[in-house]
Amino acid sequence: MRKQPGVLLPLVVGIVALLGFGALWLVLEPDMGSPASTLVWLLSELVFALALAVPAVCLFFVIRAMHIRRVQAREATGPDAVGVARARDLLWSLSHGLLPQTESAGSLPTDATEPVFLAGRFLAARHALPAPSLRRMRANARDLERSGRGWTALTPVEIAATDRRILLRSNDVLWDIRYSDIAEVHVEVGRVILCLQGQEPVLVEGDVAESLAVLAVWGSVGESALRRHPALASLRT
């Protein structure tokens, strides 16, 4: 296990430096009116600069240590927690009008003009009915491996989510899901269900399925819906 960087030491050093150099500057500053105070004035300016620079450097190390601790905590809690944390970061970025970093679509046939925001290998299944009961569909999806009622078996798929659509390919079958065709989005930890207009629902399972749900809401409903869509309520907390 990697050693966690300390937060207390740079925080204490920064506070002590701010108070100490600040007090020393206050002591030296009134002597500036004296005719023979050039040396004192130089010392006063140096102390003032240190009173600002040292706490600033310490603050940088405090923020850096907190960030490293946060990343290590995500890695230690397993892939599900990492997926939720990544989805929350993506939700925050898109809610503030910031596009995430692009990724490679791999072998999926994306257009050269559409950026790929999420790509990887997942597990996916399709429902047998175009418009099944939502309650039963979600209940069966939670116990998919045992029940399988209504759903096909989970199969490995390659996925690329762009700014226009979600591409899924299993063996030689390519699913092209336009955001405009997505009617509803339902998300759980490690799993997302996309209900499509006039088509069978699609279930996607993987460690970043929540990020796929965020992109599905963003593309199908719009940026403003990210702050109020019920499917993303758990990611906004």
Side-chain angles (χ1 to χ4, degrees):
M1 182 177 178
R2 288 176 294 177
K3 183 178 179 181
Q4 290 186 337
V7 176
L8 185 60
L9 179 60
L11 181 62
V12 172
V13 172
I15 294 175
V16 172
L18 179 63
L19 296 177
F21 287 123
L24 184 59
W25 178 75
L26 291 176
V27 171
L28 296 175
E29 186 64 16
D31 296 335
M32 289 181 60
S34 174
S37 62
T38 303
L39 180 59
V40 176
W41 177 81
L42 290 175
L43 289 175
S44 173
E45 293 300 309
L46 177 61
V47 168
F48 180 75
L50 290 174
L52 296 178
V54 175
V57 172
C58 292
L59 179 61
F60 165 78
F61 282 104
V62 168
I63 295 175
R64 177 178 176 272
M66 293 177 64
H67 175 71
I68 293 176
R69 283 171 173 257
R70 182 183 178 188
V71 172
Q72 291 179 352
R74 289 181 183 178
E75 295 175 350
T77 50
D80 288 345
V82 172
V84 172
R86 179 176 177 180
R88 285 175 175 165
D89 292 341
L90 179 62
L91 177 62
W92 186 92
S93 298
L94 293 175
S95 299
H96 292 78
L98 303 174
L99 296 179
Q101 291 184 346
T102 57
E103 301 183 15
S104 172
S107 59
L108 288 172
T110 57
D111 191 292
T113 61
E114 55 181 334
V116 177
F117 298 138
L118 180 66
R121 295 190 175 275
F122 298 78
L123 296 175
R126 298 202 77 158
H127 204 275
L129 302 175
S133 166
L134 176 61
R135 182 177 180 182
R136 181 173 297 180
M137 177 179 63
R138 297 186 69 176
N140 292 344
R142 293 190 186 100
D143 198 17
L144 187 61
E145 293 183 358
R146 283 205 296 251
S147 68
R149 290 176 295 180
W151 291 101
T152 62
L154 284 170
T155 57
V157 296
E158 187 178 0
I159 292 182
T162 74
D163 62 339
R164 308 174 193 173
R165 56 184 174 167
I166 300 173
L167 292 172
L168 301 89
R169 182 163 61 191
S170 175
N171 298 323
D172 295 329
V173 179
L174 180 66
W175 306 341
D176 188 341
I177 303 174
R178 299 279 173 173
Y179 288 133
S180 58
D181 293 333
I182 298 177
E184 296 180 42
V185 179
H186 305 281
V187 62
E188 298 176 1
V189 176
R191 179 175 292 166
V192 59
I193 298 175
L194 305 177
C195 297
L196 309 177
Q197 297 179 6
Q199 303 178 51
E200 298 82 1
V202 175
L203 181 147
V204 178
E205 189 175 281
D207 56 356
V208 289
E210 295 85 357
S211 297
L212 187 64
V214 172
L215 289 171
V217 171
W218 171 75
S220 62
V221 191
E223 178 184 320
S224 60
L226 295 173
R227 296 183 174 90
R228 51 182 172 79
H229 199 285
L232 306 181
S234 61
L235 300 178
R236 290 192 294 265
T237 58

